[in-house]
Amino acid sequence: MSAIKDFFKKKKMDAKFKVAGGGQKLGESSGQGGASAAAAAAQRRQPAERQHPSSSSQQAGAAALNRMAAEKKQQSGGLDSEEYLKNRQRALIKEQARKELEKEKAVDEEIQKLKEVYGDKEEVVHESSGHLAAQGVFFRCPLIGDDVYPKDVMKRKIREFLYSQLELERGLTAALIIHTCNTPRERVETCVETLCKYLDNIIQNPSEPKYRKIRKSNKAFQERVASLDGTEHFILDCGFQLQTLPGADGSTEEEFWVLPESADLEHITMLQDSLRSCEPLTAELDRGIVVIKPGSENSRNIGSLPPDFFSVTTAEVKAEMKSRADSLERESMLRTQAMRDKEASVGRRKYKYCVVRIRFPDGYILQGTFSVYEALSAVADFVTENLEMPLPFHLMDTVTGARLQEMSSSLQELGLVPASILNFRWEPEIEQDLQASGANSVPCLKASLIS
């Protein structure tokens, strides 16, 4: 067959397919082909009935979904993983804790600065300045004699004196020992209250046997009474006797202080009153009188300063710079007057005693030792006692020249600690009388002091 015939034959077959339409066979008529095609199309449009998957298919599907989710998390860098969230939470907590610690540290540093200036600190108390022209601080006690001793020696002397008097008057001396030889004061008050309670029960109930016995091993008795000096002597003088009696359980014996029925209740009442009204035996501060003659080397100043006062170390320079920085910082704060007063007292040494010198018009200087808590009136009394003629006078400030009038103020409040020099001046009327009499200079101090 020629190629031309094949070409035309193919064209005719294509034409027949186009005329027949979809779903028809070549031998079918056009009507039958259209019906069968419509039926096939309708069958395709009907949804097929869905079958429920088996349990194995469900498990396989769930495993596949889990694998896909894990792969997705891994591909996304694990930002949603549980471990990542835990690590991120830990990091946030650590950062928050670090910020809070830094804030607390800053607050603590600020509080420490405020405490250094305004806080209550244990003050270092000194007996007196080490550069004063005084031999020391001494005390005297009229019961012991006219001798003067340092504080520790005087305490020992008073204790020895009291114990030496027990043979003469045991009850009253024991009361003095309780008040004088025991510290602190609160402990002594507790002891006195307990002893008086024992005695009061006996006085109010003289026929009650239970009030006449004190178990020696009783905890309250041991802590409040027996541990203090002088209590045993006091109990003995009341009439108590130490006896061994059956204890509370009846099987063991214990020591008891027992007061016999024949005890003198009047004597017990007298001892009770004495114990309550008794005051500790204290020593008086010795003035340590020193008279300095005119022109003496000691009259020019109170004491020489050591070289340490004038040499500055590197540490002291750094401390000074830090002090200035802190001072500038405090100046920017709002402070009360009490806070400012507290600042002024920081770094100021605390003394218990001070030396006061009084310069007289004739050039003599009178020196005495005082407690920093004594009033200015004590200095005025000291001067009056040593005047040849106890006439009215004034004490003048050597710096300002002003008259000191606050006689009830303490030496510490007046800023006269640890040492000071005051000028003596007669009242104006007396000065006029002296000038009128032609006596330009009269001795002020007693002749026994300046001879």
Side-chain angles (χ1 to χ4, degrees):
M1 187 179 292
S2 64
I4 297 298
K5 289 183 179 178
D6 291 338
F7 174 77
F8 280 103
K9 187 177 179 179
K10 186 178 180 181
K11 288 291 186 180
K12 287 181 181 178
M13 290 178 67
D14 292 337
K16 287 183 179 180
F17 275 109
K18 291 180 180 179
V19 172
Q24 294 182 358
K25 295 182 179 179
L26 293 177
E28 291 181 345
S29 64
S30 61
Q32 291 177 349
S36 62
Q43 186 177 4
R44 288 196 299 270
R45 287 196 296 269
Q46 290 180 358
E49 184 179 356
R50 186 174 180 181
Q51 296 181 355
H52 189 74
S54 63
S55 60
S56 60
S57 299
Q58 292 178 2
Q59 293 176 358
L65 289 175
N66 290 337
R67 284 197 304 273
M68 292 175 63
E71 290 175 358
K72 184 177 179 182
K73 289 180 180 180
Q74 187 175 4
Q75 291 175 359
S76 62
L79 295 179
D80 297 331
S81 64
E82 184 178 356
E83 186 66 25
Y84 172 78
L85 293 176
K86 287 183 178 180
N87 293 335
R88 190 168 185 273
Q89 188 67 20
R90 292 193 194 99
L92 291 174
I93 293 174
K94 288 182 179 179
E95 181 64 18
Q96 183 67 21
R98 185 186 65 80
K99 291 181 179 179
E100 291 181 359
L101 288 174
E102 289 181 353
K103 187 181 297 184
E104 289 179 2
K105 184 179 179 181
V107 172
D108 291 340
E109 291 177 354
E110 189 66 23
I111 292 175
Q112 186 62 30
K113 287 183 179 180
L114 293 175
K115 282 185 177 180
E116 290 177 357
V117 179
Y118 307 110
D120 295 331
K121 298 183 292 185
E122 183 178 356
E123 298 176 347
V124 178
V125 181
H126 303 269
E127 291 287 330
S128 60
S129 175
H131 307 294
L132 298 177
Q135 299 298 321
V137 180
F138 299 94
F139 295 82
R140 65 172 63 250
C141 181
L143 292 178
I144 295 177
D146 296 332
D147 295 334
V148 296
Y149 301 98
K151 188 174 184 179
D152 294 338
V153 177
M154 178 57 71
K155 284 184 177 180
R156 187 172 68 251
K157 293 286 185 180
I158 291 176
R159 182 185 180 88
E160 293 173 356
F161 169 78
L162 290 176
Y163 273 91
S164 67
Q165 301 298 310
L166 284 172
E167 296 180 0
L168 303 176
E169 184 58 60
R170 182 161 60 177
L172 297 179
T173 304
L176 270 175
I177 293 175
I178 293 173
H179 282 273
T180 305
C181 301
N182 296 290
T183 56
R185 194 63 194 165
E186 293 78 9
R187 190 176 173 215
V188 175
E189 291 175 355
T190 302
C191 173
V192 171
E193 181 181 353
T194 305
L195 283 174
C196 290
K197 184 64 176 178
Y198 288 149
L199 301 181
D200 192 58
N201 287 335
I202 295 171
I203 295 170
Q204 298 296 328
N205 307 277
S207 59
E208 188 65 41
K210 67 177 182 179
Y211 292 128
R212 292 176 172 268
K213 289 195 307 182
I214 303 173
R215 185 160 56 90
K216 189 176 180 181
S217 61
N218 180 271
K219 183 178 179 181
F221 176 77
Q222 287 292 329
E223 292 179 354
R224 300 180 181 182
V225 178
S227 58
L228 276 72
D229 292 340
T231 54
E232 184 171 340
H233 295 284
F234 185 83
I235 292 174
L236 287 171
D237 196 68
C238 289
F240 282 88
Q241 298 174 359
L242 192 61
Q243 298 181 9
T244 302
L245 301 175
D249 55 359
S251 59
T252 59
E253 293 186 344
E254 298 183 58
E255 289 186 330
F256 286 83
W257 287 107
V258 181
L259 183 69
E261 295 182 0
S262 60
D264 188 354
L265 295 181
E266 291 185 3
H267 182 68
I268 292 176
T269 304
M270 183 273 295
L271 290 177
Q272 183 189 37
D273 295 339
S274 300
L275 183 63
R276 279 177 173 165
S277 60
C278 185
E279 294 291 335
L281 181 61
T282 58
E284 301 174 357
L285 176 64
D286 182 63
R287 296 301 182 198
I289 297 177
V290 176
V291 176
I292 302 173
K293 297 181 179 180
S296 174
E297 180 66 24
N298 292 333
S299 64
R300 298 177 184 176
N301 51 54
I302 289 185
S304 301
L305 296 176
D308 294 342
F309 273 65
F310 307 100
S311 59
V312 182
T313 63
T314 304
E316 290 172 337
V317 173
K318 291 181 179 179
E320 178 65 21
M321 296 300 294
K322 184 178 182 301
S323 176
R324 292 184 181 182
D326 294 342
S327 178
L328 289 175
E329 185 178 352
R330 287 195 301 270
E331 290 297 330
S332 62
M333 299 167 50
L334 292 176
R335 295 164 296 164
T336 63
Q337 184 61 40
M339 295 172 69
R340 295 180 184 275
D341 295 340
K342 191 76 173 180
E343 288 177 19
S345 64
V346 170
R348 187 182 300 168
R349 298 180 73 186
K350 302 297 181 181
Y351 293 94
K352 298 173 75 173
Y353 309 101
C354 65
V355 167
V356 178
R357 286 183 173 180
I358 299 92
R359 183 187 291 115
F360 291 88
D362 55 2
Y364 280 92
I365 294 178
L366 178 66
Q367 175 179 297
T369 304
F370 298 85
S371 168
V372 297
Y373 303 109
E374 289 188 81
L376 182 63
S377 58
V379 179
D381 294 340
F382 169 69
V383 174
T384 303
E385 293 172 0
N386 293 281
L387 288 178
E388 182 71 25
M389 297 181 295
L391 299 175
F393 62 90
H394 300 309
L395 295 176
M396 317 296 292
D397 190 338
T398 56
V399 178
T400 63
R403 173 187 170 187
L404 298 178
Q405 299 179 349
E406 302 85 355
M407 288 296 169
S408 60
S409 300
S410 68
L411 301 180
Q412 189 175 51
E413 293 172 345
L414 295 174
L416 303 179
V417 177
S420 57
I421 300 178
L422 305 177
N423 288 332
F424 176 93
R425 183 176 178 181
W426 296 112
E427 281 198 351
E429 295 80 2
I430 298 177
E431 284 187 347
Q432 294 176 1
D433 293 341
L434 291 175
Q435 292 177 359
S437 63
N440 296 327
S441 178
V442 294
C444 300
L445 296 174
K446 293 180 177 179
S448 59
L449 295 175
I450 61 178
S451 58

